[in-house]
Amino acid sequence: DTVKVSVAAEPYPPFASLDASGKWVGFEVDLANAVCKAGKLDCEIVATAWDGIIPALTSKKIDVIWASMTITPERSAQIAFTIPYYNTPAEFIANKDDKFDFAPGSLKGKTIGVQTSTIHAQYVQKAYPDADIKTYGTQDAANADLAAGRLDLVLADAAALDDFLKGKDGTCCDVKTFPKDPIFDGGVGGGLRKEDTDLKAKLDEGIKAIYASGEYATIEKKYFSYEVGTPPK
Amino acid sequence: MPEGSTQAAEDQTPVVQLDNIHKSFGRLEVLKGVSLTAHEGDVTALIGASGSGKSTLLRCTNLLEIPNSGRILIGNEEIRLKPASGGTMAVADQKQLQRIRSRLGMVFQSFNLWAHRTVLENVIEAPVHVLGENKAEAIEHAGELLNKVGLYAKKDTYPAFLSGGQQQRAAIARALAIRPKVMLFDEPTSALDPELVGEVLRVIRDLAAEGRTMIVVTHEMAFARDVANHVMYLYNGNVEEEGAPSKVFGNPNSERCRQFVTPRQH
Amino acid sequence: MPEGSTQAAEDQTPVVQLDNIHKSFGRLEVLKGVSLTAHEGDVTALIGASGSGKSTLLRCTNLLEIPNSGRILIGNEEIRLKPASGGTMAVADQKQLQRIRSRLGMVFQSFNLWAHRTVLENVIEAPVHVLGENKAEAIEHAGELLNKVGLYAKKDTYPAFLSGGQQQRAAIARALAIRPKVMLFDEPTSALDPELVGEVLRVIRDLAAEGRTMIVVTHEMAFARDVANHVMYLYNGNVEEEGAPSKVFGNPNSERCRQFVTPRQH
Amino acid sequence: MAETDVEAFWDQLAAGWGTAFLAGLRITVELSIGGYITGLLIGGLVAWAKLRGPRWLVALANGYSTICRAVPEVLMILILYYAGQQALNGLMASIGFGAVGIDGFYAALMVLGIVQGAYASEILRGAVLALPKGQIEAAKAYGMHGFVLFRRVILPLMVPFAFAGLTNLWMSILKDSALIFVVGYKELISTAMAAAGSTRMYFSFLLFCGAIFYALTQFSNIFIKLIDGHIRRWMPRLG
Amino acid sequence: MSTDLASSFFDNFTWIGKYWPMILGGFWTTLQLLFFSLLLGYPLAILVGFGRVSKNKFIYGLATGFVSVIRGTPLLVQLFILYFGLGSLFPAIPHIRQSFIWPVLKDGYYYVILALVLSVGGYVGEIMRGALLSVPRGELEAGRAYGFHGFSLVRRIWLPRAMQAMMPTFAGETVLCLKSTALAYLVSVQDLLGQINIIRSREAITYTPLLVVAVGYLLATLVIEAVFRRFEANFAKTTRPA
Ligand SMILES: Nc1ncnc2c1ncn2[C@@H]1O[C@H](COP(=O)(O)OP(=O)(O)OP(=O)(O)O)[C@@H](O)[C@H]1O
Ligand SMILES: Nc1ncnc2c1ncn2[C@@H]1O[C@H](COP(=O)(O)OP(=O)(O)OP(=O)(O)O)[C@@H](O)[C@H]1O
Ligand SMILES: [Mg+2]
Ligand SMILES: [Mg+2]
């Protein structure tokens, strides 16, 4: 029967957001549909509040978490993941005039904004323990505080920052280069119950298939001006 | 007043019988073994100094205070009590208590009118909602009673807007409305002027003539002397003196009682 | 009682002077132009049927009810009132009112003890927190007063645990504690037994002897006759009869008053 | 610029967010009313248990209100809806039936009711404690007892004491109904957050949401005022 | 099946070892938020309560408007308006970023406290109003008759008497405030629930972290209730049992 593929009910444009008519749209949604088609799965896109998304999976209210969930060792201990279906670089952004030294352990006294429970939050806490780290419920809130001057830096997904930098509030700021860390290589995958090995196999098939067919690139172009995925080996 | 009636009534079963009532509040022993017997048509006056336990005894009669020990009989029926924790007692049969209470009219020392109901509503409340009387009839009866106590004009007023005497009269009408077998009055005339005192005492006398039994806590010695056929003088939680008014007022055994009842020159 | 004192005092400035007081509640006109004058040491008794406006007049004296029209003078000072909306008046100078009130002791018909304070705390409350007396002294004074009304043993009790008479005595002690120039009593003996009535009346007489002015609403005709030097009979919002007790009780002009004050056989 | 913001906002409403808000309003109102009534019923029973129950029941009732007030609603709904579902799945499977779904709406309603019940029980208990004792004694003296005593005397006398607390509860349940978001329903607040997140018009949508709530509570206030006037009719106004 | 449920419910507790400093830090923040909200919120509530029974039209209108806005709109909306609305006006003021109040103005912490203080003021203020109106008129009159007025009447008679009447609701309102502190994470203040949410999503476990929150709140609630029980017992001794 139908596979329930769930995005997070909190909008995260351009990956998944609600349009005015109540339909879920965005990069991840298109991707999910394409993957299901390629994997010969009959899928239905649903949305679940982030707070309830893992219990929804374990209690079988949904079958796949498709909500920009980064693959980490901790999470892998609880649930299974598909192979990554996107992997965007992390970027620091800040006021155009400001300069920073990104050596580990530096950024003392700087205020850095990150989104709660992201890989970025985890990274800054480890790499820059002396910085003043603020975590936000939404990326937009962090961006707004950067624009308002309450933050010195924001670390986030390049894709999520792109929109902001292009918008009128983002004119203040630009991207600062910093040494890349392997922690960002995990990528984002679909979350599954550990026992659903069949489903995992089919989804992995599907992801590989759309990379191969070029469909991935088509969808990518629709939303981004740069690459967000690395084809699986 | 027929003083002999007490004698004549001895043969009948008493309507109210309190037997060796003890009551303490914490360590304060307020009643130390008080007994009281009233037959049909008896008017018993309870007199005594402030704080001597008169109100408490009256409240024990309808179990608003539960005595620590002792027996209470209304009509022929003993109110069943059972021992409870800490040397106190509890009501054993709530049904029985409600049934008995609904025929005991009580006028409180502090009136205790229901603040959320008008005078008329106060009066018809128990007849309609406890005794299940027809509402229209209850209203008619209430009208008569309010006329009797001179409060008909205030029937649609809430208690908070009444003068002290008006509240007391409303409380009396409320007690009469349930056509009680026994009336318990706690200083029913304290807030009344002499004219009204006369009125109320006439009402009480009429009720006695109808054979209703009454127990009245009062400070009006004139009333105790003229209307009651039995007077009890409480002192310090004991019955210090009791008997026909002629005896208690005229020739008491107790010196204390003599002093208490002797009219003083102000 | 020195009935001539009223005459002698005429020359002095009166301590309390109410002038043509009118008071309505909604459409009910309760006071229809009542005047009252009391000199130092005067004991004025207000008598009248229930609902005739006695309490209202007393409450107007310390502005708990604001009259619709009329003037009120305490000592030599007129309480300043200003017209307010809807034909009523309002107090113009709150400071003045507080100052005057703090020397008017009032005993309410329904006692109105502060439920959140013990008897002793009730008594020292105003002396300490309004008059700024030293607390230790206030407690000592309160102790004397509570002794006087026979309530010292209950000094640490909350009002809810007192008998009716005990509450009334606490209220009297509270009023005396502010060493008032003028005492306003609303039926100060209604809940008391004859013995205590005697006590309280003796207190009132002592106060009068000390030169304190008193206005007493009462149903005790004996008290009005024996202690007061001026009696006012209110009827239906008007002063129907007033004068020395000997006149009001012995030889009233008004037939209604005669009927009211004539002792009735119960 | 402000003008274009306003225009853009109206465009968004017209494009479908308006309908979404209407749907959200309906869920908010339905859930709030349902949860409130459930809460009052539970609160009444628990208050009674606290005041009149035997000692073990009092302890139980106290435990209930302490726990249900302290535990975050989101945990309760997760437990009831998801863990409950899991248990039910297991149970149905073990007796050979297919899965039966727990309805998210009723799960949320129950959770809100249980939490509100805890608060309501304390409010009602407090109101009973504040009652003028003499008037209850008078009712007992006339043979009133049980439900009649409650309905005719205790209830009307305690309402003025409980009213403010109970209206507070109503005001807060209107907003707490956002809880239902966790089980997949969008009431007003989550609709606003979704609209804000999707359109990036945070301020406009939050203000709009605030305005709807304000209208809703002002509408409630009409009734609250009427009731308040009615229950205070027998009290003299403060001088 | 029951072991299955239990095992999924009590996912595991091993994460606590790793995160306990975060948890304690979050809890401490929660307690701070609660403390300051109450410290300033209750006095505000008293003012609001008296404003709601004031005969002065202006004061009454002010208090009524305040209560109606605070109770009428979600706390979340209020917090956002304060933080992103009011808060974003400040940076526009020249030199403010160099001034000593900038650390306060830019910190979400103070906005959360402000929002909670206003909230307590509105909700408890309305309860205060009911309690003030329920004080027997006669006792107030007795106060007036003895020369109490204005502030002294309020402090000695009206307020203590009203406080008794609302005693049993205090604990509840305080616990409500405790739970409201959980909105803090929205403006980047990491309270207990905020920290726990980070842990939950990092570890992909659901229930046990929330149980820890529940235990934390429960401990706080027990303390709150114990404190208010003592006040209540104090009040109970002035009344007779019914
Ligand atoms: N606040 C009020 N609102 C409306 N009517 C009132 C109010 N207070 C008193 N009244 C009415 O005014 C009249 C006079 O009342 P008042 O209390 O002065 O009488 P009183 O002479 O003291 O009587 P009593 O001897 O019974 O105490 C009564 O009819 C009463 O119902
Ligand atoms: N609920 C209570 N708790 C503690 N003590 C009480 C309680 N009720 C009454 N008392 C005390 O018991 C004693 C007797 O009170 P009771 O009311 O019976 O006196 P009374 O004879 O009616 O006096 P009064 O003539 O003044 O009304 C008093 O000392 C009183 O303080
Ligand atoms: Mg008594
Ligand atoms: Mg009177």
Side-chain angles (χ1 to χ4, degrees):
Chain A
D1 43 6
T2 55
V3 176
K4 289 203 170 127
V5 178
S6 178
V7 295
E10 294 86 352
Y12 186 47
F15 294 93
S17 62
L18 212 52
D19 75 4
S21 65
K23 240 183 64 203
W24 283 92
V25 296
F27 173 67
E28 272 187 301
V29 179
D30 289 358
L31 216 54
N33 286 328
V35 168
C36 284
K37 214 166 88 203
K40 303 205 172 48
L41 290 165
D42 179 13
C43 290
E44 182 193 348
I45 302 284
V46 297
T48 308
W50 184 257
D51 261 335
I53 208 157
I54 293 203
L57 182 71
T58 50
S59 66
K60 303 196 172 145
K61 295 213 179 251
I62 59 173
D63 301 305
V64 184
I65 296 173
W66 199 264
S68 294
M69 191 180 264
T70 308
I71 303 168
T72 62
E74 290 92 344
R75 287 174 180 158
S76 301
Q78 305 297 324
I79 57 176
F81 281 100
T82 62
I83 57 173
Y85 60 82
Y86 80 80
N87 186 9
T88 49
E91 299 288 7
F92 270 112
I93 59 169
N95 232 294
K96 281 182 174 142
D97 307 331
D98 291 349
K99 299 243 172 330
F100 301 93
D101 167 19
F102 287 108
S106 59
L107 295 182
K108 189 166 193 289
K110 299 288 178 204
T111 317
I112 308 177
V114 285
Q115 192 183 353
T116 311
S117 69
T118 55
I119 196 82
H120 313 102
Q122 221 167 325
Y123 174 72
V124 290
Q125 268 151 17
K126 209 166 65 198
Y128 307 109
D130 292 336
D132 179 10
I133 297 157
K134 301 231 165 244
T135 50
Y136 290 82
T138 63
Q139 189 59 47
D140 287 308
N143 295 347
D145 265 5
L146 178 66
R150 289 195 276 219
L151 292 176
D152 296 317
L153 283 157
V154 164
L155 176 67
D157 211 289
L161 294 175
D162 210 37
D163 265 14
F164 168 69
L165 289 178
K166 279 190 217 145
K168 65 173 161 42
D169 291 336
T171 48
C172 61
C173 308
D174 62 3
V175 173
K176 311 286 175 190
T177 38
F178 79 108
K180 295 288 181 269
D181 190 284
I183 193 174
F184 299 112
D185 291 345
V188 162
L192 300 150
R193 283 183 292 272
K194 286 198 157 160
E195 66 264 27
D196 290 348
T197 44
D198 263 10
L199 184 59
K200 172 173 160 54
K202 283 184 182 157
L203 288 170
D204 287 350
E205 280 305 297
I207 294 169
K208 283 179 193 152
I210 60 168
Y211 269 116
S213 69
E215 196 174 354
Y216 189 97
T218 320
I219 297 171
E220 191 177 57
K221 280 219 186 62
K222 197 169 144 194
Y223 294 95
F224 304 104
S225 53
Y226 48 88
E227 284 189 358
V228 296
T230 357
K233 297 147 249 160
Chain B
M1 264 282 110
E3 277 171 28
S5 70
T6 314
Q7 299 305 355
E10 292 292 357
D11 323 320
Q12 307 169 319
T13 47
V15 178
V16 178
Q17 205 178 340
L18 306 179
D19 192 14
N20 199 23
I21 302 290
H22 285 258
K23 175 70 190 175
S24 304
F25 293 112
R27 271 172 309 172
L28 181 71
E29 195 172 5
V30 175
L31 298 176
K32 301 172 180 165
V34 177
S35 299
L36 179 160
T37 306
H39 291 86
E40 199 172 303
D42 272 2
V43 178
T44 306
L46 294 178
I47 61 174
S50 169
S52 59
K54 306 180 297 295
S55 296
T56 306
L57 183 63
L58 207 67
R59 292 160 55 82
C60 281
T61 308
N62 62 359
L63 275 298
L64 284 178
E65 302 287 357
I66 299 180
N68 296 69
S69 69
R71 297 183 339 134
I72 297 163
L73 290 91
I74 306 286
N76 227 349
E77 209 176 338
E78 176 169 356
I79 298 181
R80 280 192 288 286
L81 296 171
K82 61 185 179 199
S85 65
T88 61
M89 297 210 289
V91 173
D93 180 352
Q94 282 291 341
K95 279 259 159 53
Q96 182 203 32
L97 178 63
Q98 311 320 339
R99 179 164 40 76
I100 291 176
R101 274 180 174 170
S102 69
R103 285 303 182 196
L104 297 175
M106 174 137 182
V107 179
F108 289 83
Q109 186 164 12
S110 44
F111 322 143
N112 292 341
L113 293 171
W114 294 307
H116 60 297
R117 307 221 184 276
T118 63
V119 169
L120 182 72
E121 287 166 355
N122 261 281
V123 177
I124 65 171
E125 183 69 23
V128 173
H129 293 278
V130 177
L131 303 175
E133 275 180 31
N134 173 296
K135 191 164 172 184
E137 282 168 26
I139 290 179
E140 206 189 301
H141 185 208
E144 286 165 23
L145 292 171
L146 287 174
N147 257 325
K148 205 170 190 168
V149 297
L151 210 60
Y152 192 81
K154 293 276 176 188
K155 74 178 173 28
D156 295 322
T157 308
Y158 287 100
F161 303 94
L162 294 178
S163 81
Q166 289 165 344
Q167 289 186 38
Q168 192 159 44
R169 285 178 279 157
I172 293 172
R174 177 174 72 169
L176 291 174
I178 60 170
R179 304 173 208 266
K181 278 219 199 63
V182 180
M183 282 283 275
L184 308 173
F185 287 105
D186 199 349
E187 305 190 14
T189 58
S190 63
L192 303 181
D193 58 76
E195 210 158 11
L196 279 167
V197 170
E199 279 300 307
V200 168
L201 297 187
R202 199 163 42 69
V203 169
I204 293 179
R205 212 182 274 125
D206 290 355
L207 291 170
E210 290 170 19
R212 214 152 291 175
T213 309
M214 267 162 291
I215 303 177
V216 188
V217 172
T218 187
H219 291 137
E220 293 263 332
M221 294 306 137
F223 165 78
R225 185 196 304 268
D226 301 342
V227 184
N229 59 353
H230 191 79
V231 178
M232 289 175 69
Y233 170 65
L234 284 187
Y235 178 78
N236 215 347
N238 282 306
V239 181
E240 172 97 1
E241 181 84 44
E242 72 176 310
S246 57
K247 177 182 161 245
V248 174
F249 288 98
N251 185 23
N253 298 331
S254 144
E255 181 47 34
R256 242 185 239 117
C257 178
R258 181 191 312 278
Q259 229 168 318
F260 185 80
V261 300
T262 307
R264 250 164 302 259
Q265 212 43 46
H266 292 314
Chain C
M1 264 285 112
E3 278 170 27
S5 71
T6 315
Q7 298 305 356
E10 292 291 354
D11 324 318
Q12 308 171 318
T13 47
V15 179
V16 178
Q17 204 178 342
L18 306 180
D19 192 15
N20 199 23
I21 302 290
H22 284 260
K23 174 70 190 176
S24 303
F25 293 113
R27 271 172 310 175
L28 180 71
E29 195 173 4
V30 175
L31 298 177
K32 300 171 181 167
V34 177
S35 300
L36 180 158
T37 306
H39 291 84
E40 199 173 303
D42 271 2
V43 179
T44 306
L46 294 178
I47 61 173
S50 169
S52 59
K54 306 181 295 296
S55 295
T56 306
L57 183 62
L58 208 64
R59 291 159 55 80
C60 281
T61 307
N62 63 359
L63 274 297
L64 284 177
E65 302 288 356
I66 299 179
N68 297 69
S69 68
R71 297 184 335 135
I72 297 163
L73 290 90
I74 307 288
N76 226 352
E77 209 177 337
E78 175 168 357
I79 298 182
R80 279 190 288 287
L81 296 171
K82 60 185 180 198
S85 65
T88 60
M89 297 210 289
V91 174
D93 180 353
Q94 282 291 341
K95 280 259 159 56
Q96 182 205 32
L97 178 63
Q98 308 324 335
R99 180 164 39 78
I100 291 176
R101 273 180 175 169
S102 68
R103 287 304 182 194
L104 296 176
M106 174 136 183
V107 179
F108 290 83
Q109 188 163 11
S110 44
F111 321 143
N112 292 340
L113 293 171
W114 294 307
H116 61 301
R117 307 225 185 273
T118 63
V119 168
L120 182 71
E121 287 165 354
N122 262 280
V123 176
I124 64 170
E125 184 70 24
V128 173
H129 293 279
V130 177
L131 303 176
E133 276 180 29
N134 173 296
K135 190 163 174 187
E137 281 169 26
I139 291 179
E140 206 190 301
H141 185 209
E144 285 164 24
L145 292 171
L146 288 173
N147 256 326
K148 203 169 191 168
V149 297
L151 210 59
Y152 191 80
K154 293 277 176 188
K155 75 179 174 24
D156 296 322
T157 308
Y158 287 97
F161 300 93
L162 294 179
S163 80
Q166 289 164 343
Q167 289 185 38
Q168 192 159 45
R169 285 179 278 157
I172 292 173
R174 177 174 71 170
L176 292 174
I178 60 170
R179 306 173 205 266
K181 278 220 200 61
V182 180
M183 283 282 275
L184 308 172
F185 286 105
D186 200 349
E187 304 190 15
T189 57
S190 64
L192 302 181
D193 58 76
E195 210 157 11
L196 278 167
V197 170
E199 278 301 307
V200 169
L201 297 189
R202 200 162 43 69
V203 169
I204 294 179
R205 212 181 276 126
D206 290 353
L207 291 170
E210 291 170 18
R212 215 152 289 176
T213 309
M214 269 163 288
I215 304 177
V216 188
V217 172
T218 188
H219 291 138
E220 293 263 331
M221 293 307 136
F223 165 77
R225 185 197 304 267
D226 301 342
V227 184
N229 60 352
H230 191 79
V231 178
M232 290 175 69
Y233 170 65
L234 284 186
Y235 178 78
N236 216 348
N238 282 306
V239 181
E240 173 96 1
E241 181 82 42
E242 71 176 311
S246 58
K247 178 182 160 245
V248 174
F249 289 98
N251 186 23
N253 298 331
S254 145
E255 180 48 35
R256 243 185 239 115
C257 178
R258 182 192 311 280
Q259 229 168 318
F260 185 81
V261 299
T262 306
R264 251 163 300 262
Q265 210 46 44
H266 293 314
Chain D
M1 195 183 86
E3 265 169 51
T4 61
D5 274 2
V6 172
E7 270 170 32
F9 176 66
W10 286 116
D11 287 347
Q12 290 289 356
L13 278 189
W17 284 112
T19 329
F21 269 100
L22 277 183
L25 176 65
R26 189 173 149 187
I27 290 181
T28 293
V29 170
E30 283 177 357
L31 187 64
S32 300
I33 292 177
Y36 193 66
I37 292 173
T38 314
L40 280 187
L41 292 178
I42 295 177
L45 285 177
V46 174
W48 176 83
K50 283 179 186 172
L51 288 164
R52 292 279 179 279
R55 211 167 292 166
W56 62 269
L57 194 59
V58 174
L60 202 69
N62 283 335
Y64 156 79
S65 55
T66 301
I67 290 176
C68 289
R69 287 193 301 185
V71 174
E73 285 89 339
V74 63
L75 176 59
M76 292 221 255
I77 186 94
L78 288 175
I79 291 176
L80 189 70
Y81 185 61
Y82 292 114
Q85 179 73 68
Q86 223 164 319
L88 198 65
N89 287 351
L91 185 74
M92 295 311 268
S94 70
I95 54 172
F97 286 97
V100 175
I102 294 179
D103 188 275
F105 183 83
Y106 291 103
L109 194 147
M110 277 319 294
V111 168
L112 287 178
I114 288 169
V115 175
Q116 290 255 314
Y119 287 98
S121 73
E122 281 296 287
I123 292 170
L124 296 175
R125 184 180 74 94
V128 170
L129 289 181
L131 286 178
K133 304 290 178 297
Q135 295 178 39
I136 297 183
E137 280 184 346
K140 285 185 182 158
Y142 288 111
M144 281 197 198
H145 61 103
F147 186 65
V148 175
L149 174 66
F150 175 75
R151 187 173 63 89
R152 300 292 306 173
V153 179
I154 294 180
L155 187 64
L157 280 176
M158 71 189 248
V159 165
F161 294 99
F163 197 67
L166 292 181
T167 55
N168 265 2
L169 274 190
W170 167 249
M171 298 291 175
S172 60
I173 200 177
L174 276 174
K175 289 146 236 166
D176 288 348
S177 55
L179 164 78
I180 200 174
F181 181 58
V182 176
V183 295
Y185 285 83
K186 279 201 201 57
E187 45 59 69
L188 278 173
I189 295 182
S190 43
T191 304
M193 293 301 276
S198 292
T199 62
R200 303 285 174 91
M201 302 173 76
Y202 278 90
F203 234 73
S204 315
F205 274 106
L206 281 173
L207 278 179
F208 183 61
C209 169
I212 298 181
F213 270 105
Y214 192 65
L216 213 52
T217 51
Q218 288 309 99
F219 183 69
S220 315
N221 267 340
I222 297 174
F223 293 97
I224 290 171
K225 277 233 178 69
L226 280 178
I227 300 170
D228 194 54
H230 184 71
I231 58 185
R232 294 201 185 283
R233 71 195 182 284
W234 43 269
M235 298 183 175
R237 299 228 295 120
L238 287 169
Chain E
M1 158 234 131
S2 63
T3 54
D4 187 40
L5 175 66
S7 68
S8 75
F9 182 67
F10 294 110
D11 333 81
N12 63 58
F13 282 100
T14 48
W15 54 273
I16 292 186
K18 193 154 116 201
Y19 293 110
W20 65 267
M22 255 174 93
I23 299 172
L24 287 183
F27 193 40
W28 179 235
T29 305
T30 294
L31 293 181
Q32 280 179 327
L33 291 175
L34 178 67
F35 177 77
F36 289 113
S37 308
L38 298 179
L39 188 72
L40 302 171
Y42 277 128
L44 177 65
I46 292 173
L47 292 182
V48 170
F50 280 102
R52 288 279 286 138
V53 299
S54 170
K55 279 189 288 188
N56 180 317
K57 286 227 170 66
F58 175 73
I59 295 176
Y60 173 82
L62 199 68
T64 305
F66 173 78
V67 167
S68 114
V69 169
I70 294 297
R71 299 203 316 161
T73 55
L75 180 55
L76 172 115
V77 173
Q78 292 163 17
L79 180 60
F80 273 33
I81 288 173
L82 286 176
Y83 185 75
F84 291 112
L86 184 70
S88 65
L89 298 180
F90 294 127
I93 304 170
H95 305 303
I96 199 158
R97 284 190 208 190
Q98 280 74 46
S99 79
F100 67 98
I101 50 166
W102 177 240
V104 171
L105 292 180
K106 75 170 194 175
D107 197 341
Y109 184 84
Y110 299 98
Y111 292 85
V112 176
I113 290 176
L114 177 60
L116 288 174
V117 166
L118 296 180
S119 186
V120 170
Y123 281 91
V124 179
E126 193 59 9
I127 294 180
M128 193 79 219
R129 166 181 179 259
L132 287 173
L133 291 178
S134 74
V135 173
R137 194 171 76 138
E139 290 178 36
L140 291 180
E141 279 186 347
R144 293 211 175 92
Y146 286 109
F148 285 99
H149 63 102
F151 184 64
S152 70
L153 183 74
V154 164
R155 191 174 66 89
R156 298 295 308 171
I157 296 165
W158 207 0
L159 187 59
R161 202 69 175 75
M163 291 289 230
Q164 293 184 333
M166 59 189 290
M167 212 69 243
T169 55
F170 272 139
E173 294 298 321
T174 304
V175 177
L176 271 179
C177 182
L178 170 69
K179 283 204 281 184
S180 301
T181 58
L183 281 184
Y185 83 96
L186 288 171
V187 293
S188 89
V189 176
Q190 293 308 320
D191 69 319
L192 179 59
L193 190 60
Q195 298 286 31
I196 288 288
N197 277 337
I198 293 175
I199 297 167
R200 280 178 63 208
S201 93
R202 198 179 283 176
E203 297 289 323
I205 44 184
T206 305
Y207 298 111
T208 44
L210 282 174
L211 276 183
V212 170
V213 178
V215 169
Y217 282 2
L218 198 59
L219 285 177
T221 303
L222 286 173
V223 172
I224 291 168
E225 286 188 347
V227 169
F228 284 108
R229 279 261 143 84
R230 286 195 55 172
F231 286 125
E232 204 183 307
N234 219 24
F235 148 60
K237 74 176 186 223
T238 68
T239 61
R240 272 185 303 134

